[in-house]
Amino acid sequence: MRYSKLFSPTLRDTPADAEVVSHQLLLRAGFIRRVTSGVYDYLPLGLRVLRNIENIVREEMNRAGAQELLMPMVQPSEFWQKSERWDKYGPELLRFKDRHGHESCLGPTHEEVICDLVSRELKSYKQLPMNLYQVQNKFRDEIRPRFGLMRGREFVMKDAYSFHANAECLAKEYQNMFDAYHCIFNRLGLKFRAVEADNGSIGGSASHEFHVLAESGEDLITHCSACDYAANVEKALSTPVEHTAEDSVLNEVSTPHKSAVEDVAAFLKVEPSSLLKTLVYVAIGGENDGQIVAACVRGNDNVQEIKLARTIGADEVALASVEQLLAIGTVTGFAGPTQLDCPIYMDQSLQHAVGLIAGANKKDIHITGLNISRDVPDAIFADLRETQVGDTCGKCGKGHMEMSRGIEVGHIFELGTVYAKPMEVLFQNEQGKRDVATMGCYGIGVSRLMAAVVEQCNDDYGIMWPVNLAPFKISVITLGKSETAFAASEKIYNELLDAGVDVVWDDRKESPGVKFKDAELTGIPLRIVVGDRGLDNNALEIKTRWGGKEEATPEAVCQKALDMLQSLQQENN
RNA sequence: CGGGGCGUAGCGCAGCCUGGUAGCGCAUCUGGUUUGGGACCAGAGGGUCGGGUGUUCGAAUCACCCCGCCCCGACCA
């Protein structure tokens, strides 16, 4: 490709509305442009990278034995009614009617469609197991799209669905996908971590998320310093540092206008860990929709709302309103577990706690000397607190937990029969009886990966694509306007084209600085500089995007560059 | 949807408080000079000042409504 013909509009200034580096650089380097909220154009360079990512994903999925197909973006409401998600899925599902008044939606995921397809064709256990995948655009009407490709409404996803005769077979495929995902993210040159995850609304049993480690990540993930345990904090198991206190009698103390944990602790001259934090929640969705519950953790801990929701059988929870607090006999800022008219859930670490300070359910008053087993006999104990740095690992009991931020780029689930059953994905088993297929599903956010890679691979000059992903591998930069430099460049360019490399020739009538800056901004791994000076010295410069520098004669420069490319590729993997 | 911020040329911004007929840098176009790190000179084009309504002799500027964007929260690949 000649740069003079390339549609690659780069920007000098960072667009003001882009917050994270990946968004800024992808815009500046001319890889993407925004169409509307959470919806983007992929320009030629961006599409090249996207395709490179897709192809690595394809190769590894194929190698793992999955088969590619392609399902539609538009899906009929009937499928969703059958799976009972038409009502459950919520406003993220973009629904519309066609000219006949027929209700449809844009696919946010494809369990329904694949189940419908497979249910029609699946007859016998002999056809199983089977793993089908696609790389396709999804649409989710996200509440708040942000960070460019990181959280779009329309995005490219690889979604795979496996079907099995039984749970053991599913477990095997789950492991197979787990391993394939490791291969994929390694080939993409990413620092990542697989963590145990909450299944969320998708349902099913086992589940892992794959996170690219980055400060800008939206998720908090935690891992053990000693064993291989790693989990999303939404789900992580750990035990807090022990707290000891003297047992004593209950006593009321006046704490005027002090309701925040820090304020109360400072006012009473104690550590926040001596306090009991009581938060009142309302269940949303699930069998106990609308139920009000109290959740208690130590003052220095936080309630992990997802854990609470799972514990009480709700889809999610929300903090109760002032009116709801009054209804159960307490007031804002001074809630405590005694004499509350609702079920009281307590973090399991509090089972034997004594000498705590808690709200008295009266304005401006706290109680001291709270003994949980004595004073809150009806408490229900469960894992409710959010894991903190330094907690003891809930798995090995030896290491302590460390925290990092992650971008979720993959998620795999053992679904079991949650979709196959309502969608009637049935087959005849070995005994000749009708059976429900057991399913797994495996997602990778392909377009999000593009952003995640940039988050990890950039410097002050721009993007530094891993060789595997780079839109072009080599940039031939012509300097000056001499006929000889131009002719020499063209020769090198053609030689590289013949060698089958993705090469771009910067033949523009621009000053050297502009060409260098653009090559760096767009992250081309290797550049060959062809100028009169180099030609006169019979030594052309080859420079890597990571600072490496070599020289070669005009005759040898192509081979040299190809060799360098190869060794860069190996470093990558 | 709740809270905060913003909307003036392709990009980055000033002007608004105190109303007077729209400006700067970069980019773009023409001509010329230049070419190993975002060149220089001369000239040129490009704006419903997000939209509407109102106040006013007069609105980018003041008021009200709407729309859009960004950040924090709930969602998730």
Side-chain angles (χ1 to χ4, degrees):
Chain A
M1 185 76 213
R2 288 186 179 217
Y3 208 122
S4 57
K5 302 285 177 206
L6 184 63
F7 179 44
S8 169
T10 56
L11 302 172
R12 285 202 184 199
D13 299 309
T14 302
D17 50 9
E19 177 79 358
V20 297
V21 255
S22 60
H23 190 196
Q24 294 174 346
L25 288 175
L26 288 170
L27 285 170
R28 272 194 65 202
F31 284 63
I32 59 168
R33 287 292 184 263
R34 196 185 73 95
V35 175
T36 181
S37 177
V39 178
Y40 288 84
D41 289 318
Y42 295 87
L43 276 49
L45 290 182
L47 185 62
R48 278 174 170 262
V49 175
L50 197 69
R51 292 279 184 256
N52 289 341
I53 296 173
E54 281 178 25
N55 285 335
I56 289 174
V57 171
R58 280 199 178 89
E59 282 172 26
E60 295 302 325
M61 289 301 290
N62 293 345
R63 192 203 299 267
Q67 301 176 64
E68 184 170 8
L69 48 54
L70 185 59
M71 291 179 273
M73 231 185 134
V74 174
Q75 307 182 5
S77 61
E78 288 84 354
F79 288 9
W80 290 73
Q81 250 130 19
K82 192 166 182 183
S83 70
E84 296 181 343
R85 284 163 115 191
W86 187 254
D87 297 322
K88 279 189 197 163
Y89 206 92
E92 266 195 0
L93 184 64
L94 183 64
R95 300 154 212 247
F96 56 92
K97 283 182 185 162
D98 65 19
R99 56 166 64 188
H100 306 293
H102 189 110
E103 276 198 297
S104 301
C105 62
L106 285 185
T109 177
H110 281 67
E111 282 82 9
E112 281 78 4
V113 179
I114 195 94
C115 281
D116 177 74
L117 172 68
V118 172
S119 69
R120 290 167 195 279
E121 311 307 329
L122 182 63
K123 318 280 183 217
S124 156
Y125 73 94
K126 291 177 187 166
Q127 292 167 276
L128 298 175
M130 173 160 69
N131 189 338
L132 301 169
Y133 78 95
Q134 63 174 344
V135 177
Q136 193 237 21
N137 280 30
K138 295 285 182 279
F139 191 93
R140 293 182 189 173
D141 201 356
E142 292 279 346
I143 309 161
R144 182 154 84 87
R146 65 186 128 173
F147 303 152
L149 297 186
M150 211 89 98
R151 179 172 300 281
R153 294 152 84 211
E154 182 169 337
F155 58 98
V156 181
M157 176 161 141
K158 186 281 301 177
D159 47 327
Y161 306 89
S162 69
F163 296 84
H164 309 269
N166 55 54
E168 297 76 63
C169 183
L170 166 62
K172 244 169 99 180
E173 181 62 11
Y174 186 85
Q175 184 62 44
N176 181 35
M177 284 292 112
F178 187 86
D179 296 339
Y181 273 39
H182 274 85
C183 293
I184 290 169
F185 298 125
N186 278 325
R187 282 187 64 188
L188 295 174
L190 290 164
K191 293 187 212 54
F192 70 98
R193 204 190 306 280
V195 303
E196 290 183 16
D198 182 71
N199 290 42
S201 47
I202 296 195
S205 46
S207 171
H208 282 86
E209 290 168 352
F210 289 77
H211 286 267
V212 168
L213 302 176
E215 270 314 303
S216 56
E218 295 182 83
D219 284 87
L220 249 191
I221 57 178
T222 180
H223 68 278
C224 173
S225 61
C227 73
D228 62 359
Y229 182 62
N232 192 309
V233 288
E234 293 173 353
K235 153 117 189 180
L237 300 171
S238 65
T239 30
V241 183
E242 282 276 333
H243 292 279
T244 50
E246 291 289 310
D247 197 6
S248 63
V249 295
L250 275 181
N251 206 356
E252 288 196 349
V253 291
S254 166
T255 50
H257 309 299
K258 308 289 181 200
S259 59
V261 167
E262 287 72 28
D263 295 345
V264 178
F267 182 72
L268 298 175
K269 298 190 171 57
V270 296
E271 290 300 312
S273 58
S274 305
L275 269 67
L276 183 79
K277 194 190 281 183
T278 306
L279 297 173
V280 181
Y281 285 96
V282 192
I284 300 174
E287 60 262 39
N288 299 318
D289 189 37
Q291 187 189 28
I292 297 176
V293 300
C296 301
V297 295
R298 269 191 199 273
N300 59 324
D301 278 331
N302 286 317
V303 171
Q304 174 50 64
E305 297 185 354
I306 303 221
K307 288 182 177 178
L308 177 64
R310 296 290 165 269
T311 303
I312 65 174
D315 289 341
E316 52 186 309
V317 294
L319 283 170
S321 65
V322 177
E323 295 76 34
Q324 288 167 320
L325 289 176
L326 288 173
I328 59 159
T330 187
V331 289
T332 327
F334 298 90
T338 55
Q339 296 154 357
L340 262 191
D341 188 19
C342 72
I344 296 163
Y345 287 86
M346 258 196 211
D347 186 71
Q348 54 199 13
S349 64
L350 292 164
Q351 206 148 2
H352 307 292
V354 296
L356 288 165
I357 297 167
N361 297 320
K362 290 182 234 173
K363 191 167 164 47
D364 294 344
I365 297 174
H366 277 75
I367 51 174
T368 63
L370 183 73
N371 175 324
I372 299 295
S373 52
R374 180 191 65 201
D375 304 323
V376 197
D378 296 333
I380 307 160
F381 295 96
D383 179 25
L384 297 180
R385 66 183 282 280
E386 184 164 286
T387 292
Q388 287 196 26
V389 177
D391 278 6
T392 306
C393 174
K395 202 169 190 187
C396 72
K398 295 191 185 83
H400 57 91
M401 302 310 287
E402 294 172 7
M403 290 284 174
S404 27
R405 295 215 141 258
I407 302 164
E408 186 190 348
V409 291
H411 200 160
I412 59 178
F413 301 87
E414 283 188 9
L415 291 178
T417 57
V418 282
Y419 295 100
K421 204 168 175 182
M423 295 302 292
E424 298 179 282
V425 186
L426 307 170
F427 65 99
Q428 244 185 336
N429 64 20
E430 277 179 271
Q431 286 76 43
K433 295 227 165 85
R434 273 196 142 188
D435 213 341
V436 180
T438 296
M439 287 177 70
C441 81
Y442 319 91
I444 288 182
V446 175
S447 46
R448 180 183 282 181
L449 265 172
M450 183 160 148
V453 170
V454 178
E455 287 292 321
Q456 269 188 6
C457 308
N458 69 82
D459 65 6
D460 291 347
Y461 299 101
I463 305 172
M464 304 164 93
W465 292 114
V467 177
N468 278 340
L469 304 186
F472 290 102
K473 313 303 178 200
I474 301 177
S475 167
V476 176
I477 295 181
T478 305
L479 294 187
K481 56 172 186 182
S482 84
E483 289 290 331
T484 44
F486 196 83
S489 304
E490 187 163 26
K491 188 158 173 281
I492 293 165
Y493 169 61
N494 283 323
E495 201 177 327
L496 289 168
L497 275 183
D498 291 343
V501 198
D502 284 328
V503 55
V504 60
W505 171 23
D506 198 339
D507 59 337
R508 293 177 298 172
K509 294 176 176 38
E510 290 286 353
S511 71
V514 172
K515 296 185 177 186
F516 291 144
K517 293 286 184 198
D518 277 341
E520 281 151 2
L521 181 60
T522 51
I524 312 302
L526 225 56
R527 76 178 190 215
I528 301 174
V529 181
V530 186
D532 285 335
R533 196 177 82 189
L535 291 169
D536 290 346
N537 297 336
N538 205 33
L540 299 181
E541 177 196 281
I542 314 175
K543 207 167 171 186
T544 76
R545 182 63 179 80
W546 296 269
K549 202 167 147 182
E550 300 272 356
E551 286 188 343
T553 63
E555 294 72 36
V557 78
C558 288
Q559 193 51 52
K560 181 88 188 172
L562 294 172
D563 293 345
M564 287 173 73
L565 202 60
Q566 193 157 39
S567 63
L568 281 176
Q569 211 137 17
Q570 275 155 8
E571 274 172 46
N572 245 236
N573 293 336

